[in-house]
Amino acid sequence: MVKAIYPGTFDPITNGHLDILSRAALLFEEVQVVVAVNVRKNTLFSLSERLELIRDCTLHLPNVHVSSFEGLTVDCLRRFGAEVVIRGLRAVSDFEYEFQMALMNKKLDPGCETVYLMPSEQYTYLNSSVIREIAALGGSVSEFVPHAVEAKLRKKLGAPHAPIQTVVPPKGRAKLPKKTKPRAKKS
Ligand code: ADP
């Protein structure tokens, strides 16, 4: 029975994160979602908001727990008595950074194993920053994030805009109203 941690920023949690979490919950005895406390990163959601959203969205996964951590991933692993770090792998572009992190963590702690999970194809182009950007520009993100996250984004950034309507001018020359001669004033 192996325990795992799933570290990340989760600003905010998306359906892609949830896809990875549901897979991990089936594979491991316990999964601890660890929200990184990174003072250098400017996040849209505060730490407590991110924790609350993740808790709300993972109620259906009884072996998933949520907490925060400041410091090295390998120290976090030991604190939770876990052996595995879970990360999501969406595209080749993720690989280089993830490869470096996994090797460095292994160097810092030879007992640290990193397991990569691939989400369903529909989530491979999804990340939190794209969600924040779409929401900030007034687009709808209901397909990409859980309901609670969408509501919180709306509260912070405003409601999505109605689709922009293009006004097509009528064919041919628009007829101008006929000029009427000003009537001479009767004296
Ligand atoms: P970080 O700042 O650590 O990258 P994120 O919240 O962006 O934090 O991501 C946490 C983890 O979740 C990373 O392993 C990332 O690859 C993974 N992840 C993020 N979005 C998705 C997605 N749409 N599908 C699969 N994995 C994802």
Side-chain angles (χ1 to χ4, degrees):
M1 295 300 244
V2 180
K3 289 184 184 174
I5 62 166
Y6 181 34
T9 312
F10 306 100
D11 185 35
I13 187 164
T14 68
N15 290 344
H17 290 126
L18 282 175
D19 178 295
I20 297 293
L21 261 177
S22 341
R23 290 169 201 275
L26 291 175
L27 294 170
F28 299 97
E29 179 197 359
E30 201 181 301
V31 181
Q32 189 80 40
V33 183
V34 188
V35 183
V37 181
N38 190 342
V39 281
R40 277 174 297 146
K41 258 194 184 176
N42 260 335
T43 54
L44 175 65
F45 291 99
S46 68
L47 179 64
S48 57
E49 284 173 322
R50 283 178 282 154
L51 288 168
E52 196 186 323
L53 283 174
I54 303 170
R55 285 195 183 110
D56 277 0
C57 303
T58 53
L59 290 174
H60 61 294
L61 301 169
N63 60 337
V64 169
H65 309 285
V66 188
S67 54
S68 60
F69 193 79
E70 192 169 4
L72 290 172
T73 304
V74 288
D75 290 338
C76 175
L77 199 69
R78 294 290 153 241
R79 175 169 147 208
F80 290 110
E83 292 110 88
V84 170
V85 177
I86 296 162
R87 297 286 290 174
L89 211 51
R90 288 158 287 186
V92 182
S93 51
D94 280 343
F95 183 76
E96 212 165 318
Y97 172 75
E98 292 294 341
F99 185 62
Q100 192 184 24
M101 288 302 295
L103 289 179
M104 185 48 88
N105 283 335
K106 191 104 184 139
K107 186 88 187 155
L108 293 172
D109 179 352
C112 170
E113 291 298 343
T114 308
V115 169
Y116 293 97
L117 297 174
M118 281 187 294
S120 164
E121 204 185 332
Q122 59 186 312
Y123 302 128
T124 50
Y125 54 89
L126 204 64
N127 64 50
S128 302
S129 63
V130 165
I131 294 301
R132 293 194 302 272
E133 220 165 299
I134 296 173
L137 293 172
S140 165
V141 291
S142 57
E143 261 183 76
F144 314 120
V145 294
H147 208 71
V149 175
E150 191 199 358
K152 201 91 181 168
L153 277 165
R154 268 196 204 173
K155 220 171 164 188
K156 249 186 211 289
L157 303 169
H161 299 154
I164 296 167
Q165 302 228 327
T166 330
V167 180
V168 182
K171 273 188 182 168
R173 269 183 136 200
K175 280 186 181 169
L176 295 170
K178 274 184 185 170
K179 267 190 184 170
T180 46
K181 275 187 186 171
R183 278 189 195 167
K185 260 188 182 176
K186 279 180 187 171
S187 52

